[in-house]
């Protein structure tokens, strides 16, 4: 049995990693951390079915028996977003979640401030992904 190592591929990977500056990398980590922290607070409240989470969901028109399931969906999305290999999929799922939040606020004719927060977090999700992914940045 022979093991063939492609030095050019490894060299290309190392160059790609080195081309992302530490400042850009840390900026993406900080943005990702903010998004994760804020979404995780809501997800944990839903999973634990706190009075606030259940009351808020019911006021928005969601059945109380779905609160835990919604929290679990958000937890899975956050976990996927935290891992580098699944960050893109997690970002898509979180974006879908935030889109649902925007739609819910629009349907209930909530104040624009409540509607804009999910949009801002969606932008932060994708800025953090773009900062870390050279191939996505190349599309811009």
């Amino acid at each position: 049995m022979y093991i063939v190592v492609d030095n050019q591929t490894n060299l290309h990977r190392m160059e790609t990693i080195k081309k992302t500056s530490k400042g850009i990398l840390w900026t993406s980590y900080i943005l990702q951390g903010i998004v994760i922290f804020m979404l995780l607070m809501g997800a944990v409240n839903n999973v634990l079915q706190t009075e606030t989470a259940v009351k808020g969901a019911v006021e928005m028109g969601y059945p109380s028996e779905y609160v835990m399931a919604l929290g679990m969906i958000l937890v899975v999305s956050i976990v996927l977003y935290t891992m580098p290999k699944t960050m893109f999929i997690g970002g898509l799922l979180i974006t879908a979640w935030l889109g649902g939040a925007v739609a819910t606020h629009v349907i209930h004719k909530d104040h624009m401030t409540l509607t804009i927060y999910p949009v801002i977090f969606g932008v932060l999700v994708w800025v953090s992904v773009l900062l870390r992914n050279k191939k996505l940045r190349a599309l811009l």
Side-chain angles (χ1 to χ4, degrees):
M1 180 190 315
Y2 295 98
I3 298 174
V4 178
V5 176
D6 183 2
N7 287 332
Q8 283 187 322
T9 303
N10 288 336
L11 182 61
H12 178 65
R13 285 184 191 149
M14 288 171 36
E15 287 174 358
T16 302
I17 292 169
K18 287 182 181 179
K19 286 183 182 178
T20 304
S21 76
K22 286 184 180 182
I24 290 174
L25 196 60
W26 276 102
T27 302
S28 74
Y29 288 145
I30 291 167
L31 293 176
Q32 186 181 29
I34 291 168
V35 170
I36 290 168
F37 177 73
M38 295 304 288
L39 292 176
L40 202 54
M41 285 191 317
V44 168
N45 279 325
N46 283 0
V47 170
L48 296 176
Q49 296 185 8
T50 63
E51 184 180 334
T52 305
V54 174
K55 181 180 175 191
V58 169
E59 286 175 1
M60 290 293 173
Y62 294 97
S64 61
E65 55 269 8
Y66 286 98
V67 172
M68 181 186 278
L70 291 170
M72 293 303 294
I73 291 169
L74 187 54
V75 167
V76 169
S77 301
I78 292 167
V79 168
L80 290 171
Y81 177 63
T82 60
M83 296 186 290
K85 289 189 178 193
T86 57
M87 181 186 230
F88 188 82
I89 294 168
L92 286 174
L93 293 171
I94 290 171
T95 303
W97 177 274
L98 294 170
V102 169
T104 300
H105 288 301
V106 168
I107 289 168
H108 288 284
K109 298 178 181 165
D110 290 333
H111 192 270
M112 190 61 172
T113 338
L114 292 175
T115 307
I116 200 74
Y117 283 131
V119 174
I120 291 169
F121 278 101
V123 169
L124 292 179
V125 166
W126 288 104
V127 168
S128 72
V129 171
L130 285 170
L131 288 175
R132 212 167 313 160
N133 192 311
K134 181 183 174 192
K135 289 180 184 178
L136 287 176
R137 277 197 317 263
L139 295 174
L140 296 178

